[in-house]
Amino acid sequence: MAEHFKVAIIGSGPGGMSAAGRAAQNGVAHVLLEKTDHLSDTIYKYQKGKLVMATPDVLPLRSPMDFAMGIREDVLGIWDRQAAELKINVRFNAEATKIAKGDKGFTLTINGKETIAADAVVLAIGLQGNLRKLGVPGSDNHPRVQYQVDDPDEYSDETIVVVGAGDAAIENAVALAKQNKVIIVNRSGEFARAKQGNLDLISKSLDKGVLDCMYNSAPVKVENLSGDRMKLTLKTAEGEALVECDRIIARLGALAPRAFVESCGIQFPSKDPTALPELSPTYESNVKGLYVIGALAGYPLIKQAMNQGYEVIEFIQGNKVKPADEPILERKFAALLDRYTVDELLHAIQKTIPVFSGLTVLQLREVLLGSEVHTPQPGDAVFRRNEFTNTFFTIFEGEVGIEINPDDPNERVPLGPGEFFGEMGLISGRRRSATVAATRPSVLIETARREMIKLIKSVPQVRAAVDKAAIERQIRTYLAPNLSATYMAEVMSTAKLRPFKAGETVFNEGDPADGIYLIRNGSCTVSQRLAGREVVVNYVPAGNYVGEMALVRDRPRAATVKAAINTETVWVEAAHFRMLMDHMPELRHEVEKRIGAMIMQDEEISARPETGSLIEALVKEGAKEAADMLLIDESLCIRCDNCEKACAETHGGISRLDREAGPTFASIHVPTSCRHCAHPHCMPNCPADAIHKSKDGEVFIDEKCIGCGNCERDCPYGVIHMAYAADEKPGLLSWMLFGLGYGPGEDKAAALGEHHGAKLAVKCDLCKDIEGGAACVRACPTGAAIRVRPDEFFSLITKAGP
Amino acid sequence: MHESILVYKGFRWLKLSVAMVAVAVLAYAVHRPEVGPPNGGTTLGYVLGVWGLGLILWLAWFGIRKRRYGVGKQNLEDWLSAHIYLGLGLIVVATLHTGFQFGWNVHTLAYVLMIAVILSGVFGVAAYARYPDLITENRRGMTQREMLSQIAEIDAKARELSVDLGDNIHNEVMRAAEALAFGGSAWRLLRGREPDCPAARAMRRVGEMAMDLPKADAEKGHQLLELLARKVQSVERVRRDLSHKAMMDVWLYFHVPLTFALIAALTAHVVSVFFYW
Ligand SMILES: Cc1cc2nc3c(=O)[nH]c(=O)nc-3n(C[C@H](O)[C@H](O)[C@H](O)COP(=O)(O)OP(=O)(O)OC[C@H]3O[C@@H](n4cnc5c(N)ncnc54)[C@H](O)[C@@H]3O)c2cc1C
Ligand code: HEM
Ligand code: HEM
Ligand code: SF4
Ligand code: SF4
């Protein structure tokens, strides 16, 4: 007979461990299964000495185990001690490999062999998944075959084989190559899976011979040689190859836990890899008795996971507990609580606001935790045209007006209870296209971008509702502000969303013209064949349309349009677009004006095709999604690095810009510095929600950063780095006259290797807090450094020429 | 791509400087000294002297201003453009102040130092106009560290290849790798060439020795020679790079110390005319 428990808890991270602790406290027969030989593997794997943050501060901790901000080692030490004190029944080296539900509860298979039985199961396995192992003879448990690199600078003068072709492999290989001989082993013939920045990095490094690569090679076995050396046998296209080395680092990625979770019967609402399982307010999944908590349930922080561990045991025992975040909700909705209790309010919101009606109560709570309530009076602006904010608003009570005509604030489209607005900024990541102001006393819910994106990805109804409204409003904004409802209905009958992947062709030169494309997010390049070569002639950011020229002139497409990054367009059929032009002389006028400008521009470019290559190169380097890009004119730059020093001096001693690194095209250099992307890649995976976009478009990291390093990994341009705060410096004069301390741009702590506090993410914030703007540009003595916005970008380059 | 310091804002500071010079010249032409020829002791002499001193202190302030980051409304580019044009205008203002009375004294020492500072500044502007493009062209998209690691990489490969080619060749390769050094004296740095470059020497010698290699090793010999030739190219490129950079920096080693000397001499000048005249 298999051993039987009331609850089996899988995964001993903060979530699972806290649940087991509560179960032990309440005397519930339980077992905690952990696949590694220690508690809480995710935190165990943090860098040594990492400062573990206990955000969000406002959230109270409710768990039998303690947790406060502290060094990794202390946090783990406390948990180990408390787990023993509470007599948690933990089994190490016990990986749950199967969970099957029968009539009398669950049967769990451990390590594929043994089974145990449980009435309820709590799944708390986090999101880290299983690292793919090398899995060849001799590699198992080998001390110098490793799957992660904490600090590449720790290794020197070794021969290191890096296996893998993804971002992690490339980053490790290049970083290790500084002090070691590195060979990167790639199963295929090219590096295709990595992000652009890393592709450039590896091809540049290989060209220069900084490291070597073996393509089409797969490890076969590992053998020990004398000393610390070992021999790796590889199968290559030309037969077997032998490599002698000191260390093997395999970065083969992780298997996401989703397949395992699905094998337990848990359903996900959509195929999107970031979708979260649907859960009841008690964290129960669609499989009765199977509960999901922690990072896997969509709660990315330690404190949240610990609270849920406590709650889930109470729920399983049939106790009602108010969620620990209740006080936060109460505070947020204080303005309405004289009329509603929190529960009533949740119901009222679901009833009034259709976009939120399809959410589970848990999802709604989560959305509201990420929201603010506003009560504007008539005339109060909610946001203004050209602001860079990207939150989403729903109207709970009252009415607002969208001021569609910049010249006449009285020309408004009214919106009432249940309707939403702000989705365009959310979708495009660019400036707000209209001002919105309250026209009656209102109650508005402002939801953070990340919450909305999470919803759009995991709840199909939300996506459908937002998309439908967005298409109509985009047509109004960009083409036909005053279109009557009947015409609009006709246009909408064929209009649709057409997404394009980065590099995908929207249409080709010579194709028949079928319609026009409003670019609602992303951006496109326009190219033409000139003298047998494809030359980029223009770059079109979101908020514009392409494809009108061929329609108006009634010819085939005169140019090829490609998506520069993942791009979503709203497609309007040719006949309907012509109809719009016939009915609206303003539109015809506008379109003719654009076409005239384009014809002239095309001629200019065909006279100087080099300009085209420059545009293309810069688009690739980030102009395609930049709100602001730092460029250096190398023909003026005297390499004094005063820009870097200015950055360091105005940002706690650490420069966020690396002048020398980065590519150069025809004397225009793109230094490593934040592009302030329309949809920052660094933002979505920040567990602490520490990365924001300000009203003016600067992307910045605030003090909530917990130093997890996700953003550093996610930024395709490599502009974020993890750094310790630098020491205070003496005044400028005492340095100059008496040689005290370190001068501008120098970091004493870095030189001595003495640091305090945690390594946190740093990057350019466009000097948003400094009067006068970017310090780097202002400190450049020759005016070589300039900052360019996408709308100035094209004219700047054509004016200058390479 | 856009404006350089010289054309900054439509030559705004050049215009201002020309105006300043014109005013000084006009005053000088009109002014009739109370006694004797025009000199620093007349009313106008005092005016021009104070004016010149003010300009010099303001010009020297640039060294501080340059390091005060994130403050002030003006870009540093604006400051430098003004620095250059007003600094040039200073020649006229100061010369008129002297009334062309030069002699072997501390006054003329101050004047000479001023001219030296200005000349070094002119050299600097010329260097800033010339070298940035040369650097870009020479570097071919590489950073200096990348160029150096490329050389180290070539060395490692050459060492490996030469092991099989006999002691003489191997020793030559090893010696060349060890002997290679960049920089050294300021003069060597600036020159950017090295007549007796160890890398080039090794290439020549290995080239001679490789002729006598047995047939079986000939191909290895060629490969080694190829590597050494590539190394010579890279080494020359690094030297050129260092020299370009040095040319852009070297004049500041005159400009700044001379500025201090100038201020000292001026102090002496002003003190002396007040106390001993
Ligand atoms: C580098 C980094 C830094 C971070 N810093 C912070 C911070 O400072 N503050 C903060 O609040 N959050 C931080 N986070 C987020 C935090 O680590 C996670 O939110 C938290 O660990 C999630 O807890 P969990 O219990 O859901 O899952 P996890 O902590 O991931 O735990 C899952 C456990 O389950 C085990 N397991 C997995 N599969 C099985 C199986 N099949 N059978 C048995 N056991 C299994 C794993 O070995 C692991 O021990 C950071 C994350 C990272 C990656
Ligand atoms: C506060 C500012 C200044 C004052 C009050 C001042 C005063 C004077 C006086 C009184 C003289 C006349 C001395 C004589 O007739 O021999 C003089 C001469 C002179 N000054 Fe100045 N001066 C000033 C600034 C400068 C500056 C900025 C320079 C240039 C760097 C300068 C260079 C000279 C020279 C070269 C002479 C001629 C000396 C000679 O006659 O041999 N002075 N100055
Ligand atoms: C007596 C007059 C002048 C004085 C006292 C003076 C002083 C200075 C000082 C103190 C600096 C700062 C150097 C540093 O700290 O890096 C400087 C920089 C400079 N000066 Fe002058 N200067 C004078 C005239 C000129 C003139 C006439 C020119 C040009 C024609 C010139 C060109 C420059 C340039 C190009 C820089 C360098 C800017 C940089 O690289 O940051 N100067 N000067
Ligand atoms: S401050 Fe200007 S000149 Fe100096 S390194 Fe930076 S870009 Fe070049
Ligand atoms: S840090 Fe963020 S906003 Fe800046 S370039 Fe990288 S991804 Fe874009």
Side-chain angles (χ1 to χ4, degrees):
Chain A
M1 241 308 270
E3 224 179 329
H4 184 108
F5 301 94
K6 177 131 171 56
V7 212
I9 300 152
I10 305 175
S12 70
M17 184 187 61
S18 168
R22 187 62 184 164
Q25 232 174 17
N26 289 0
V28 178
H30 69 281
V31 63
L32 174 61
L33 302 179
E34 168 55 50
K35 73 175 175 200
T36 64
D37 63 1
H38 44 257
L39 288 178
S40 205
D41 190 49
T42 302
I43 287 136
Y44 186 87
K45 282 205 188 114
Y46 290 176
Q47 211 167 52
K48 290 191 190 74
K50 170 177 157 34
L51 190 65
V52 183
M53 308 287 188
T55 43
D57 296 335
V58 284
L59 185 67
L61 177 70
R62 188 160 58 185
S63 166
M65 334 255 319
D66 288 328
F67 174 55
M69 184 168 91
I71 303 296
R72 163 189 171 274
E73 286 71 13
D74 298 340
V75 170
L76 289 173
I78 292 172
W79 287 346
D80 282 341
R81 203 191 66 228
Q82 293 186 328
E85 284 167 6
L86 287 165
K87 303 209 167 53
I88 291 180
N89 176 28
V90 51
R91 287 187 55 181
F92 290 117
N93 301 313
E95 177 174 1
T97 46
K98 195 171 155 208
I99 303 175
K101 181 161 183 178
D103 313 332
K104 289 216 230 60
F106 294 90
T107 309
L108 283 75
T109 310
I110 300 178
N111 298 333
K113 303 192 280 268
E114 192 189 342
T115 59
I116 57 169
D119 298 340
V121 174
V122 175
L123 205 52
I125 59 175
L127 280 177
Q128 299 306 113
N130 284 327
L131 286 178
R132 285 201 181 86
K133 293 285 164 67
L134 208 49
V136 300
S139 70
D140 282 356
N141 297 325
H142 192 295
R144 272 167 294 102
V145 175
Q146 56 193 65
Y147 298 92
Q148 78 177 56
V149 179
D150 279 339
D151 179 6
D153 297 338
E154 252 174 45
Y155 308 96
S156 60
D157 303 318
E158 294 189 6
T159 303
I160 301 178
V161 174
V162 176
V163 186
D167 288 312
I170 294 176
E171 281 161 20
N172 284 171
V174 173
L176 287 164
K178 270 189 242 160
Q179 301 186 22
N180 302 282
K181 184 172 160 51
V182 172
I183 302 160
I184 183 163
V185 170
N186 183 346
R187 248 169 235 276
S188 77
E190 54 179 358
F191 290 88
R193 276 190 292 122
K195 62 190 180 192
Q196 191 61 41
N198 279 332
L199 289 181
D200 294 347
L201 185 68
I202 188 76
S203 57
K204 219 164 137 186
S205 305
L206 289 172
D207 284 352
K208 289 194 198 116
V210 177
L211 45 78
D212 285 322
C213 179
M214 301 184 66
Y215 293 103
N216 297 315
S217 306
V220 177
K221 63 179 179 218
V222 175
E223 289 157 297
N224 280 326
L225 299 174
S226 64
D228 275 350
R229 303 277 289 179
M230 51 188 164
K231 188 166 82 183
L232 172 66
T233 308
L234 294 162
K235 202 174 116 220
T236 72
E238 294 92 43
E240 282 210 337
L242 299 177
V243 182
E244 278 187 25
C245 59
D246 302 293
R247 193 175 296 281
I248 298 176
I249 292 171
R251 299 307 304 255
L252 305 167
L255 280 170
R258 174 145 170 184
F260 173 65
V261 178
E262 281 179 323
S263 78
C264 307
I266 297 180
Q267 286 162 5
F268 287 78
S270 83
K271 280 223 171 58
D272 193 297
T274 58
L276 302 166
E278 244 173 62
L279 302 175
S280 77
T282 57
Y283 310 117
E284 195 169 14
S285 70
N286 59 303
V287 181
K288 289 282 153 273
L290 181 49
Y291 296 78
V292 181
I293 60 169
L296 186 64
Y299 299 86
L301 292 170
I302 295 172
K303 218 198 265 176
Q304 296 168 325
M306 292 180 73
N307 285 349
Q308 291 175 350
Y310 173 100
E311 288 161 18
V312 78
I313 294 299
E314 297 294 326
F315 291 143
I316 289 172
Q317 290 187 282
N319 304 335
K320 278 216 168 68
V321 282
K322 272 194 177 179
D325 52 31
E326 188 95 350
I328 309 181
L329 275 185
E330 281 169 4
R331 212 168 314 136
K332 290 208 156 163
F333 287 89
L336 296 173
L337 291 184
D338 48 346
R339 285 182 279 152
Y340 300 97
T341 67
V342 169
D343 280 338
E344 284 165 3
L345 184 65
L346 295 182
H347 277 116
I349 289 176
Q350 286 207 303
K351 233 175 76 207
T352 325
I353 303 177
V355 245
F356 291 154
S357 62
L359 309 191
T360 64
V361 175
L362 214 53
Q363 280 168 330
L364 183 63
R365 287 189 87 95
E366 196 54 21
V367 166
L368 294 179
L369 281 172
S371 303
E372 296 297 331
V373 178
H374 301 278
T375 49
Q377 292 306 307
D380 291 352
V382 182
F383 54 69
R384 294 182 189 283
R385 184 185 302 271
N386 287 339
E387 255 176 40
F388 256 110
T389 47
N390 51 17
T391 48
F392 179 86
F393 290 84
T394 39
I395 307 174
F396 182 57
E397 286 169 4
E399 187 192 77
V400 301
I402 305 183
E403 296 173 10
I404 47 174
N405 184 347
D407 304 321
D408 179 9
N410 289 320
E411 200 177 311
R412 309 193 183 98
V413 177
L415 296 179
E419 296 195 88
F420 58 82
F421 59 95
E423 78 293 340
M424 298 235 280
L426 177 85
I427 291 168
S428 74
R430 309 252 169 178
R431 293 165 192 277
R432 295 285 194 196
S433 57
T435 300
V436 176
T439 46
R440 292 213 199 117
S442 306
V443 177
L444 308 178
I445 301 172
E446 176 184 18
T447 305
R449 178 186 142 83
R450 53 152 61 246
E451 295 302 334
M452 273 320 287
I453 297 286
K454 236 192 319 192
L455 274 191
I456 288 178
K457 288 200 165 152
S458 45
V459 186
Q461 299 99 296
V462 174
R463 150 155 278 164
V466 171
D467 273 347
K468 176 153 182 298
I471 292 178
E472 180 172 336
R473 289 184 194 164
Q474 273 143 358
I475 292 176
R476 277 202 193 283
T477 311
Y478 299 128
L479 293 179
N482 303 313
L483 197 61
S484 69
T486 18
Y487 277 127
M488 183 51 95
E490 190 168 347
V491 174
M492 285 289 289
S493 68
T494 54
K496 59 181 174 203
L497 259 189
R498 291 179 61 171
F500 296 92
K501 291 228 160 54
E504 199 178 331
T505 303
V506 179
F507 52 73
N508 274 311
E509 195 171 338
D511 283 357
D514 56 348
I516 77 158
Y517 297 79
L518 309 182
I519 303 174
R520 71 172 210 175
N521 69 35
S523 63
C524 293
T525 56
V526 182
S527 56
Q528 286 179 331
R529 291 200 77 77
L530 293 174
R533 212 165 64 86
E534 182 119 344
V535 174
V536 172
V537 296
N538 204 352
Y539 158 75
V540 191
N544 291 285
Y545 43 91
V546 289
E548 77 285 17
M549 172 117 96
L551 286 184
V552 172
R553 301 176 84 186
D554 212 358
R555 318 174 159 183
R557 301 285 188 199
T560 298
V561 172
K562 284 191 182 139
I565 43 169
N566 290 351
T567 296
E568 279 181 344
T569 63
V570 174
W571 177 80
V572 176
E573 197 200 17
H576 282 145
F577 180 66
R578 292 209 177 90
M579 175 190 88
L580 287 177
M581 286 218 302
D582 290 344
H583 281 273
M584 297 197 296
E586 323 85 84
L587 178 62
R588 151 137 266 139
H589 179 78
E590 170 71 30
V591 168
E592 288 294 350
K593 206 167 88 191
R594 285 172 49 120
I595 291 180
M598 265 191 294
I599 292 176
M600 289 185 283
Q601 193 173 305
D602 285 358
E603 284 313 308
E604 209 174 307
I605 296 268
S606 44
R608 286 196 304 166
E610 330 77 76
T611 317
S613 335
L614 182 56
I615 298 176
E616 192 174 359
L618 291 183
V619 164
K620 204 171 120 208
E621 278 308 318
K624 60 192 173 195
E625 52 186 331
D628 180 294
M629 213 166 156
L630 178 63
L631 299 179
I632 292 183
D633 183 342
E634 284 207 336
S635 65
L636 297 179
C637 170
I638 55 170
R639 278 72 167 177
C640 64
D641 283 335
N642 213 34
C643 42
E644 276 188 22
K645 289 175 203 150
C647 186
E649 287 306 297
T650 48
H651 293 86
I654 300 156
S655 176
R656 284 96 213 279
L657 121 88
D658 185 340
R659 195 224 2 118
E660 201 181 6
T664 303
F665 314 98
S667 98
I668 296 192
H669 179 67
V670 188
T672 302
S673 169
C674 180
R675 275 57 160 166
H676 302 276
C677 303
H679 289 296
H681 309 268
C682 51
M683 228 188 240
N685 287 331
C686 173
D689 193 16
I691 307 183
H692 311 274
K693 196 172 220 183
S694 77
K695 277 190 178 162
D696 298 320
E698 301 101 357
V699 177
F700 64 97
I701 304 180
D702 70 15
E703 68 294 335
K704 291 210 293 294
C705 172
I706 53 175
C708 72
N710 284 353
C711 55
E712 182 188 30
R713 230 181 13 250
D714 290 343
C715 168
Y717 307 107
V719 309
I720 300 187
H721 61 272
M722 313 302 295
Y724 294 101
D727 284 350
E728 284 286 321
K729 289 207 187 123
L732 181 59
L733 273 178
S734 27
W735 167 72
M736 283 226 254
L737 300 179
F738 311 114
L740 288 182
Y742 280 64
E746 298 170 345
D747 179 2
K748 184 174 172 181
L752 300 178
E754 296 169 356
H755 288 295
H756 321 286
K759 253 190 176 180
L760 298 179
V762 296
K763 73 172 219 36
C764 162
D765 59 3
L766 262 183
C767 297
K768 66 179 180 59
D769 299 326
I770 298 172
E771 209 186 326
C776 50
V777 169
R778 288 198 291 148
C780 175
T782 63
I786 51 170
R787 290 200 161 268
V788 191
R789 288 182 299 145
D791 39 332
E792 309 161 338
F793 178 63
F794 189 81
S795 67
L796 183 91
I797 286 172
T798 35
K799 192 171 76 195
Chain B
M1 180 162 70
H2 54 284
E3 300 179 327
S4 82
I5 21 173
L6 296 180
V7 304
Y8 185 76
K9 292 257 165 79
F11 295 100
R12 163 196 293 188
W13 294 107
L14 172 61
K15 289 175 190 158
L16 193 84
S17 180
V18 168
M20 173 182 86
V21 166
V23 169
V25 171
L26 204 70
Y28 188 81
V30 173
H31 183 70
R32 292 278 150 261
E34 306 83 52
V35 280
N39 68 66
T42 64
T43 318
L44 180 66
Y46 272 96
V47 171
L48 290 174
V50 173
W51 188 347
L53 183 70
L55 268 177
I56 288 175
L57 294 179
W58 176 81
L59 287 161
W61 171 251
F62 181 77
I64 309 249
R65 174 59 181 79
K66 178 179 166 185
R67 295 179 179 77
R68 298 184 46 182
Y69 303 107
V71 292
K73 285 206 179 61
Q74 266 73 38
N75 289 342
L76 202 64
E77 183 184 12
D78 204 356
W79 273 80
L80 183 56
S81 186
H83 181 89
I84 290 171
Y85 284 120
L86 296 183
L88 287 172
L90 172 67
I91 304 181
V92 176
V93 173
T95 310
L96 296 181
H97 160 71
T98 67
F100 302 94
Q101 310 276 326
F102 300 109
W104 292 103
N105 51 30
V106 68
H107 322 309
T108 305
L109 174 65
Y111 183 82
V112 170
L113 286 171
M114 180 194 80
I115 295 296
V117 172
I118 293 177
L119 286 180
S120 63
V122 172
F123 179 93
V125 171
Y128 284 4
R130 176 175 155 83
Y131 291 102
D133 274 333
L134 291 181
I135 292 183
T136 305
E137 205 178 301
N138 182 50
R139 281 205 181 172
R140 308 206 185 158
M142 275 193 262
T143 62
Q144 201 177 82
R145 214 174 63 201
E146 286 167 346
M147 293 194 283
L148 292 177
S149 69
Q150 191 183 38
I151 292 175
E153 189 76 11
I154 295 179
D155 271 341
K157 280 194 186 140
R159 216 175 310 145
E160 224 164 275
L161 257 177
S162 66
V163 173
D164 303 340
L165 298 178
D167 283 350
N168 285 343
I169 291 189
H170 184 65
N171 288 341
E172 191 59 46
V173 169
M174 297 293 284
R175 210 174 317 134
E178 274 155 30
L180 185 66
F182 294 105
S185 71
W187 169 241
R188 282 171 71 180
L189 199 63
L190 286 170
R191 196 168 41 171
R193 275 177 295 112
E194 187 70 56
D196 192 26
C197 166
R201 204 183 328 130
M203 178 182 71
R204 275 196 313 275
R205 295 217 186 130
V206 169
E208 281 159 22
M209 290 188 271
M211 289 190 282
D212 304 326
L213 282 175
K215 204 162 155 214
D217 286 338
E219 176 49 28
K220 272 203 175 145
H222 293 154
Q223 280 175 12
L224 180 60
L225 208 55
E226 206 175 281
L227 279 177
L228 294 180
R230 184 143 29 105
K231 178 172 163 188
V232 170
Q233 292 300 322
S234 303
V235 167
E236 283 177 358
R237 184 167 320 151
V238 171
R239 287 219 174 86
R240 275 198 301 271
D241 188 60
L242 290 171
S243 130
H244 292 155
K245 189 86 182 58
M247 286 301 255
M248 282 201 305
D249 291 343
V250 63
W251 65 276
L252 272 173
Y253 290 95
F254 295 91
H255 201 67
V256 178
L258 285 173
T259 296
F260 282 106
L262 166 61
I263 289 173
L266 268 181
T267 313
H269 166 59
V270 175
V271 170
S272 71
V273 296
F274 273 121
F275 287 92
Y276 301 103
W277 212 252

